[in-house]
């Protein structure tokens, strides 16, 4: 398929935002309302979704979020990011967005190529792909995880977006196997070699996080091509501290969703107590 010039140019621009000297900060959204709010913030450079918040806002667990459910949320988010409603005469699926949009597609679902092709139709220029198998809850073998990244990038190329941005997430630190930082480095290097733009090293659902020493090791191993999740609690690294460490991308995951729900509950409690 011919390159979708405008779409691919936005992917190139999004890729350029991953600068270890000035990391990209992504305040993950989960519906059209939060996307609109973030899109209207003067400091926003790109929009990212988070599957946990998308799932929980629909009343389902993260690991139960199906591709059709995720795609429906992505479609509503993309709709508020359109620069205009005029579609290309040559390609009626080409959509211009106000900001680069990257989305969390979990492990890519059963057909990674189809998943990537469908999100590209909505104007998406990047995605997260994790190496935890959503069907089994087990970490995928390294060769399998690498293959899925290559499949995703090939599907993007076939869709006319060869510079599509994959942020390869490894769950090795938070997996049942209790992997080490050395395991994360081995997997991350393999994902970068497969064509990923950055590696997202997640500390796991137990609140482990990634320590300063570990971030420093990961930054060195990946030459800055690292994404970590910001934790909005005392005792964890701040944006200012993370910027000094030389990584390329900082994301909030479900942190803003949880903050919003806490505020909602507090206000509701105050009203209902009266």
């Amino acid at each position: 398929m011919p390159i979708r010039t405008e779409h691919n140019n936005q992917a190139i621009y999004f890729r350029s935002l991953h600068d270890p000297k000035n990391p990209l900060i992504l305040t993950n959204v989960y519906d059209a309302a939060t996307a609109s709010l973030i899109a209207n913030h003067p400091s926003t450079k790109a929009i990212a979704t988070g599957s946990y918040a998308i799932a929980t806002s629909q009343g389902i667990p993260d690991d139960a979020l199906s591709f059709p459910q995720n795609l429906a949320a992505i479609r509503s988010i993309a709709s508020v990011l359109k620069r205009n409603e005029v579609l290309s005469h040559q390609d009626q699926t080409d959509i211009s967005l106000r900001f680069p949009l990257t989305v969390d597609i979990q492990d890519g679902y059963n057909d990674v190529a189809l998943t990537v092709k469908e999100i590209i139709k909505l104007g998406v220029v990047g995605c997260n792909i994790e190496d935890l198998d959503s069907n089994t809850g087990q970490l995928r073998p390294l060769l399998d995880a690498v293959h899925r990244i290559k499949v995703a990038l090939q599907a993007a190329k076939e869709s006319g977006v060869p510079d599509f941005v994959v942020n390869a997430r490894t769950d090795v630190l938070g997996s049942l196997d209790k992997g080490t930082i050395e395991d994360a480095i081995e997997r991350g290097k393999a994902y970068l070699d497969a064509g990923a733009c950055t590696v997202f090293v997640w500390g796991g659902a137990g609140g482990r996080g990634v320590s300063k020493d570990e971030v420093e090791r990961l930054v060195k191993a990946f030459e800055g091509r690292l994404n970590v999740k910001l934790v909005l609690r005392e005792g964890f690294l701040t944006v200012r501290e993370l910027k000094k460490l030389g990584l390329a991308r900082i994301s909030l995951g479900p942190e803003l969703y949880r903050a919003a729900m806490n505020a909602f509950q507090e206000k509701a409690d105050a009203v209902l107590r009266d």
Side-chain angles (χ1 to χ4, degrees):
M1 181 178 182
I3 293 178
R4 300 184 187 192
T5 305
E6 186 171 359
H7 198 150
N8 195 61
N9 283 345
Q10 195 173 48
I12 293 171
Y13 167 66
F14 180 55
R15 186 178 290 268
S16 74
L17 295 176
H18 295 74
D19 180 4
K21 295 179 181 178
N22 184 27
L24 174 64
I25 300 175
L26 294 170
T27 48
N28 302 73
V29 304
Y30 49 91
D31 59 14
T34 53
S36 179
L37 189 154
I38 296 301
N40 284 292
H41 193 284
S43 295
T44 295
K45 296 179 180 178
I47 306 291
T49 72
S51 68
Y52 177 91
I54 286 176
T56 308
S57 65
Q58 296 181 44
I60 55 179
D62 188 14
D63 57 8
L65 181 69
S66 69
F67 179 51
Q69 291 169 321
N70 198 356
L71 191 65
I74 294 168
R75 183 177 291 109
S76 68
I77 290 166
S79 70
V80 304
L81 303 180
K82 291 180 186 177
R83 279 205 298 261
N84 56 62
E85 298 294 335
V86 180
L87 301 181
S88 165
H89 292 298
Q90 281 123 5
D91 185 352
Q92 292 298 304
T93 63
D94 191 17
I95 300 176
S96 298
L97 302 181
R98 291 176 54 201
F99 291 99
L101 174 60
T102 183
V103 299
D104 183 350
I105 57 170
Q106 300 184 317
D107 68 346
Y109 301 98
N110 292 329
D111 188 335
V112 179
L114 176 63
T115 298
V116 170
K117 290 178 179 180
E118 288 298 311
I119 62 175
I120 283 177
K121 289 178 182 178
L122 299 179
V124 173
V125 298
C127 71
N128 276 23
I129 298 179
E130 59 195 50
D131 58 9
L132 193 72
D133 187 331
S134 61
N135 292 318
T136 66
Q138 300 293 321
L139 204 65
R140 292 182 182 276
L142 179 56
L143 291 179
D144 182 25
V146 166
H147 174 69
R148 292 170 72 83
I149 291 170
K150 291 180 178 179
V151 168
L153 290 168
Q154 179 60 33
K157 184 177 181 180
E158 292 172 2
S159 297
V161 190
D163 290 287
F164 189 81
V165 175
V166 169
N167 184 42
R169 171 175 143 174
T170 179
D171 283 33
V172 68
L173 293 183
S175 69
L176 296 176
D177 298 329
K178 297 182 180 179
T180 65
I181 196 67
E182 288 77 18
D183 295 324
I185 289 172
E186 179 188 14
R187 283 182 171 260
K189 285 184 174 181
Y191 300 161
L192 292 171
D193 288 343
C197 175
T198 46
V199 176
F200 176 18
V201 178
W202 189 53
R208 175 194 184 285
V210 183
S211 71
K212 181 180 178 181
D213 289 343
E214 289 172 333
V215 171
E216 289 174 340
R217 289 187 61 185
L218 292 165
V219 165
K220 183 178 180 180
F222 302 157
E223 298 178 335
R225 294 173 291 173
L226 173 68
N227 173 203
V228 298
K229 176 183 167 292
L230 183 71
V231 179
L232 300 178
R233 298 199 305 271
E234 291 293 329
F236 289 88
L237 294 167
T238 65
V239 170
R240 188 184 298 273
E241 290 169 334
L242 286 170
K243 281 185 173 182
K244 293 178 180 178
L245 298 179
L247 48 85
R249 176 164 164 166
I250 301 168
S251 54
L252 271 77
E255 293 290 319
L256 294 181
Y257 169 79
R258 287 170 174 157
M261 291 302 100
N262 287 338
F264 183 95
Q265 184 170 3
E266 288 175 7
K267 292 295 184 182
D269 286 345
V271 171
L272 293 172
R273 280 198 303 270
D274 289 340

